[in-house]
Amino acid sequence: MNTLSRRFPRLLWLSAGGLLLALLLALGSLFYLVYRDWRDEQQDNLIQEVLWLEQSLRMHMESHQEWADNLSREISAGKLDSQRFAQLASFYRRENPALVSIERVAINGEVLWDQYGLRRDGRVLTDSEFDALWRANRLLQADYSAPYQVRDGKYQFDLVVPIVQDGQSLGGVRLSYQLDVLLFHQVPWWIASKYAISIQNLDGQTLASKFDVAERPGSLSHQTTFDPPGQGLSLRAVSYRSGLGLTLPVLFTLIVLLASALIYAAWRIRRHVRERAQAEQALAQEVSLRQAIEDCMKSGLVALGEGGEILRVNRAFCDMVGFSPEQLVGSTPPHPFWPADGHDSLQAAIAAVRDQRQPAQGFELRFARDGGAAIEVRLYATPLVEADGRQRGWIASLFDITEPKRQRIALNASHQRFLTVLNGLVAGVCVIDVSSGLLLYANPAFSRLCLADEPAGPCCILLPGLSEMPEQDEYGQEFLADGEHYWLQLHRRRIDWVNGESAWLAILTDISADKARESQEQAQQERFQNTSRLIAMGELASSLAHELNQPLTAINTYASGVNRRLPAEFSLPSGVREALQAIAEQAKRAAQIVSSIRAFIKKHEPQLERVDPTIVILRAVNLAEALASKAGVRLQVEQEARPCVLDMDPVLIEQVLLNLMKNAIEAMQEANTKRARVRLRTTIGEAFWRVEVADNGPGLSATTRENLFTPFYSTKADGMGIGLNICRSIVEFHRGEFGANSSAAGACVFWFTLPLVK
């Protein structure tokens, strides 16, 4: 019976599958046969009706050609005048609405008569209209034109019958047809109701069509030539979509029969499966409930026997240690999750559980996951007592405390690092209560700077800037410590303390060294200004001495030459020779005086020494920082990291760098440049060390660039115009080059190069 019950559902499924497959095959075959027959029949009907329509149009056009031929013979015989022509043409157009016009045209294309009578406007056919007339006159027989487009976008074609007299063409009778009107009147309604009729050219372009907008075109079509008029025109018909007729009810009946058999088979299968499912569901509910209770718990559960063997585990415990239930259930101590170095502590914990010596907070143990990773767990054990009161073992619940313990250790370490940083700061840090001024926290540096010899009391009394402007959240002040010779800077900020109350966070910094450095920089700046003035005056005196030496030498030469050229016997007024001699002597004496002054003011030879240019750069930048800070200009230094050595006078090169940075700062300050910046950049080439001092100011004008090194030329109101000359002289003495150009952004860049020591 059991064997039959197991095989019966399989037979039902096989029979249902066989019926479904047979149904699909029958439906597919039936649809294919019916559709193929129906499509062939529709295609045959379409071809027959298209051929009939083409023949009807051809006969229609031939009858028009015959009428036009009779009309041309009467005109050539002189039996027809313009009035009679207009009457016949008007009547014929009313009978044939597809005709747009009926005209008599001369051999040159001029329209003589039309359906309204004699034409006097001199109208001449266009090139497209003249095409058929030209061929008809050449061939002396009727001819059709190619379709052409008129102003309203419609397509027309012409029939031209020549008027022949004595073998010569006198012109022709021209009939113009509109294609869409021709289809509208010549395609019968019973054809138009089944097909979309169109006329196309050789390119497949539709020139005219007649179709029912309510119908959708199908896939059946047929195309045949449309001759006359020919010219590559074709007549195309596309069938509308239609139903299959009587085959649909037959097909529907077959579908219903096969579907009914399939439904019955499926119902029998469902009934059998349902009976078995009810029996299995009652058994699975009990197992599922127990498993769900265990698996839904976040803590791990382990059932241990009296000998410590594992009886059962839940999913949370398996996820915790990384082992599957098959690997854990039945294992005895040492278990797979026990670390190799922790057997003693774990055995001691099991012994404490057996002796009921479990601490209130449980056991904090270390397990090993599958793969060796260690985890920290907290374990609580409870006796496992069955319904008869007999203890079978213990139930242990475990909680993974690896992450909380790691966070606790990390928090303690972070707190210690924070205290170490605060205690190691040179600046003093303290927290003061806003309302009472009591000190809440202070690091050792603050105690050393402020509280070493002070009595106990509110901290706001000790710090002079703490109680000022309490409405401001941030405040800063510099002050000189009472009875001391060092400066302190206090910066205060309002914060929320750990108890939620408002407090001041104060940072106290010893700025005595900064103050001293600022004084030294100011003194150095004053010395540099004095030195610059002396150098400028020396250059000015040297330039004047050089310029005056040449004219004085020329005066001496000319006077001596004139005195020598005068013959001794030549009589001159008294005192002339003596005057010439005196002029030469006085000029020589003046030249000697100028040379002496020049030698006196001449600079000593620079003392060249091998130095690292990085040190010179840093000194010059340190001297310029005070001026840049006062002017609100940011200094940027970009030095190439490669070491190099130069032969230079470091003091002179330092003065050159300081002068260039000072000029850049003053230029941007005068131009009110926003976000002013001076960039000092050094690069090391194969043979030269290059320095660039660039700013983001207004740059150099064309006039300034031309006169940049002209003596005494300056763009400053109080400038002497010799600073850049001095800088260039110093650089050239060091066998270097000095220049200036504009950056890509339009700012100014001064540069110079010095040779490297080989």
Side-chain angles (χ1 to χ4, degrees):
M1 180 64 182
N2 293 334
T3 303
L4 292 176
S5 62
R6 286 194 299 267
R7 294 180 58 187
F8 188 66
R10 180 180 297 178
L11 295 175
L12 289 177
W13 283 112
L14 290 176
S15 62
L19 290 174
L20 181 60
L21 181 61
L23 175 62
L24 294 176
L25 290 175
L27 290 176
S29 301
L30 183 60
F31 267 109
Y32 174 75
L33 293 175
V34 173
Y35 177 75
R36 189 180 64 180
D37 294 342
W38 172 82
R39 187 178 178 86
D40 292 343
E41 182 181 359
Q42 293 294 320
Q43 185 69 30
D44 294 341
N45 293 336
L46 173 62
I47 294 173
Q48 293 177 5
E49 292 180 351
V50 169
L51 292 177
W52 181 89
L53 179 60
E54 188 271 337
Q55 183 179 7
S56 175
L57 290 173
R58 187 189 320 120
M59 295 175 62
H60 180 73
M61 297 301 299
E62 288 176 352
S63 66
H64 285 199
Q65 181 178 343
E66 183 180 355
W67 179 83
D69 192 25
N70 294 333
L71 199 65
S72 66
R73 284 197 296 269
E74 291 183 4
I75 294 174
S76 63
K79 300 179 181 180
L80 202 63
D81 56 5
S82 60
Q83 185 175 3
R84 179 60 179 167
F85 180 87
Q87 293 175 355
L88 294 175
S90 298
F91 175 78
Y92 204 71
R93 282 192 67 241
R94 286 194 300 269
E95 294 294 326
N96 298 276
L99 281 170
V100 178
S101 63
I102 302 175
E103 301 169 334
R104 179 192 173 184
V105 293
I107 194 171
N108 61 352
E110 182 182 359
V111 179
L112 304 177
W113 301 344
D114 61 6
Q115 61 268 22
Y116 303 107
L118 182 64
R119 293 289 293 262
R120 302 181 184 276
D121 55 358
R123 175 179 174 269
V124 180
L125 299 180
T126 62
D127 293 341
S128 300
E129 297 171 338
F130 186 75
D131 181 56
L133 176 64
W134 180 81
R135 287 198 303 272
N137 290 330
R138 291 290 298 266
L139 301 175
L140 297 180
Q141 64 181 13
D143 192 71
Y144 290 88
S145 70
Y148 56 89
Q149 196 172 19
V150 294
R151 293 181 180 179
D152 58 356
K154 306 294 185 178
Y155 283 89
Q156 296 182 1
F157 69 92
D158 300 336
L159 166 62
V160 177
V161 177
I163 301 174
V164 181
Q165 188 175 26
D166 298 330
Q168 297 293 328
S169 176
L170 303 179
V173 176
R174 174 173 172 267
L175 282 69
S176 297
Y177 296 87
Q178 187 166 319
L179 285 175
D180 56 346
V181 180
L182 180 65
L183 289 181
F184 180 78
H185 289 282
Q186 296 301 320
V187 176
W189 66 267
W190 49 272
I191 291 181
S193 63
K194 295 187 293 183
Y195 310 108
I197 307 299
S198 62
I199 297 176
Q200 298 180 349
N201 58 15
L202 289 174
D203 297 332
Q205 181 185 3
T206 300
L207 306 181
S209 61
K210 181 177 182 180
F211 59 91
D212 190 348
V213 296
E215 297 287 346
R216 291 183 299 172
S219 59
L220 296 178
S221 64
H222 184 70
Q223 185 170 329
T224 186
T225 57
F226 182 29
D227 188 15
Q231 301 295 334
L233 296 182
S234 60
L235 188 64
R236 178 179 174 83
V238 179
S239 65
Y240 298 131
R241 294 185 181 181
S242 59
L244 297 177
L246 295 177
T247 57
L248 186 59
V250 176
L251 184 61
F252 178 75
T253 303
L254 182 60
I255 292 173
V256 170
L257 293 176
L258 292 176
S260 300
L262 181 61
I263 291 172
Y264 175 76
W267 176 76
R268 290 296 305 271
I269 293 173
R270 180 176 178 276
R271 181 179 177 182
H272 180 77
V273 172
R274 195 171 188 181
E275 291 174 353
R276 295 195 60 178
Q278 289 176 353
E280 294 173 354
Q281 185 178 7
L283 179 63
Q285 284 179 350
E286 183 67 22
V287 177
S288 176
L289 179 60
R290 294 185 180 185
Q291 190 68 35
I293 293 174
E294 296 178 0
D295 292 341
C296 70
M297 298 183 67
K298 300 297 183 182
S299 60
L301 289 179
V302 181
L304 299 174
E306 294 181 353
E309 70 278 7
I310 297 179
L311 303 178
R312 188 176 180 86
V313 293
N314 71 338
R315 183 172 57 188
F317 181 76
C318 294
D319 295 340
M320 187 183 301
V321 297
F323 291 95
S324 64
E326 292 78 11
Q327 294 175 296
L328 297 176
V329 174
S331 65
T332 58
H335 297 293
F337 50 85
W338 283 16
D341 57 350
H343 289 184
D344 294 340
S345 60
L346 292 170
Q347 289 286 7
I350 292 178
V353 171
R354 288 174 179 170
D355 299 339
Q356 297 183 354
R357 292 183 287 105
Q358 180 179 193
Q361 67 275 14
F363 296 97
E364 190 170 314
L365 304 174
R366 183 167 60 89
F367 287 171
R369 288 178 54 84
D370 186 14
I375 60 171
E376 299 289 337
V377 299
R378 187 176 298 279
L379 181 145
Y380 298 92
T382 304
L384 178 61
V385 181
E386 294 186 351
D388 56 0
R390 183 172 58 89
Q391 181 178 350
R392 186 178 177 185
W394 292 269
I395 286 289
S397 59
L398 301 96
F399 299 89
D400 187 356
I401 60 171
T402 305
E403 186 63 20
K405 187 174 181 179
R406 186 193 65 80
Q407 292 178 356
R408 184 173 68 251
I409 296 174
L411 183 61
N412 292 334
S414 177
H415 180 68
Q416 292 298 326
R417 289 194 297 270
F418 179 69
L419 290 179
T420 302
V421 171
L422 286 180
N423 295 336
L425 288 176
V426 177
V429 179
C430 68
V431 180
I432 302 110
D433 184 77
V434 172
S435 58
S436 63
L438 294 177
L439 183 64
L440 303 177
Y441 170 79
N443 70 340
F446 182 84
S447 301
R448 184 178 65 255
L449 291 173
C450 192
L451 300 179
D453 301 324
E454 297 293 341
C459 192
C460 62
I461 299 176
L462 305 177
L463 299 179
L466 199 60
S467 59
E468 298 181 7
M469 299 183 180
E471 69 280 358
Q472 294 187 4
D473 291 339
E474 293 192 13
Y475 180 74
Q477 180 181 350
E478 297 178 357
F479 59 91
L480 186 65
D482 294 338
E484 301 291 341
H485 299 286
Y486 61 90
W487 284 85
L488 296 178
Q489 182 187 55
L490 174 69
H491 184 76
R492 181 199 71 191
R493 182 181 182 186
R494 189 187 301 271
I495 63 171
D496 292 332
W497 192 233
V498 293
N499 58 0
E501 298 294 333
S502 181
W504 294 120
L505 172 63
I507 301 177
L508 195 65
T509 309
D510 186 356
I511 59 172
S512 301
D514 296 338
K515 288 290 185 179
R517 185 169 57 253
E518 185 177 343
S519 299
Q520 293 176 0
E521 291 175 354
Q522 185 175 1
Q524 180 70 14
Q525 182 68 17
E526 293 176 356
R527 289 195 298 271
F528 169 70
Q529 291 177 357
N530 294 332
T531 304
S532 298
R533 294 191 186 98
L534 291 175
I535 293 175
M537 295 305 298
E539 288 288 337
L540 177 60
S542 179
S543 299
L544 290 174
H546 176 72
E547 296 296 331
L548 291 175
N549 190 41
Q550 292 181 359
L552 290 174
T553 303
I555 293 172
N556 184 19
T557 302
Y558 287 142
S560 299
V562 171
N563 194 17
R564 287 195 301 269
R565 287 177 178 273
L566 290 175
E569 66 276 6
F570 189 75
S571 60
L572 292 173
S574 177
V576 172
R577 292 184 182 274
E578 292 76 5
L580 290 174
Q581 185 66 28
I583 291 173
E585 292 177 355
Q586 292 299 321
K588 184 176 181 181
R589 183 172 179 272
Q592 292 175 351
I593 294 172
V594 170
S595 298
S596 300
I597 295 173
R598 184 180 182 186
F600 175 77
I601 65 174
K602 187 176 182 181
K603 303 186 296 290
H604 296 290
E605 289 294 327
Q607 302 298 319
L608 298 181
E609 57 184 273
R610 292 192 173 182
V611 297
D612 183 3
T614 304
I615 301 174
V616 179
I617 292 291
L618 295 178
R619 289 176 182 172
V621 170
N622 289 335
L623 293 175
E625 279 182 350
L627 180 61
S629 177
K630 184 180 295 184
V633 178
R634 184 160 59 96
L635 286 180
Q636 292 181 345
V637 180
E638 299 176 8
Q639 296 199 68
E640 188 164 342
R642 284 192 298 162
C644 66
V645 178
L646 305 177
D647 285 336
M648 67 164 69
D649 188 334
V651 175
L652 293 180
I653 297 302
E654 179 180 330
Q655 297 299 321
V656 170
L657 291 169
L658 191 57
N659 189 29
L660 293 179
M661 289 187 287
K662 178 174 175 292
N663 288 343
I665 293 170
E666 291 176 352
M668 291 188 292
Q669 188 177 13
E670 184 178 354
N672 294 325
T673 303
K674 296 182 178 179
R675 297 184 180 90
R677 182 184 72 253
V678 175
R679 181 172 61 91
L680 193 151
R681 180 171 175 264
T682 66
T683 56
I684 301 174
E686 295 181 358
F688 289 92
W689 177 67
R690 180 182 175 94
V691 180
E692 292 180 1
V693 179
D695 59 36
N696 60 341
L700 297 174
S701 63
T703 305
T704 303
R705 191 178 294 109
E706 293 176 358
N707 299 280
L708 193 61
F709 299 103
T710 302
F712 308 112
Y713 176 84
S714 177
T715 58
K716 304 177 185 177
D718 55 348
M720 298 184 65
I722 60 176
L724 290 179
N725 277 330
I726 296 174
C727 294
R728 185 172 65 173
S729 299
I730 294 173
V731 172
E732 290 176 350
F733 174 80
H734 287 78
R735 303 185 308 278
E737 294 181 357
F738 187 92
N741 51 31
S742 298
S743 66
C748 181
V749 180
F750 282 88
W751 60 270
F752 67 88
T753 61
L754 297 179
L756 297 172
V757 175
K758 297 183 180 179

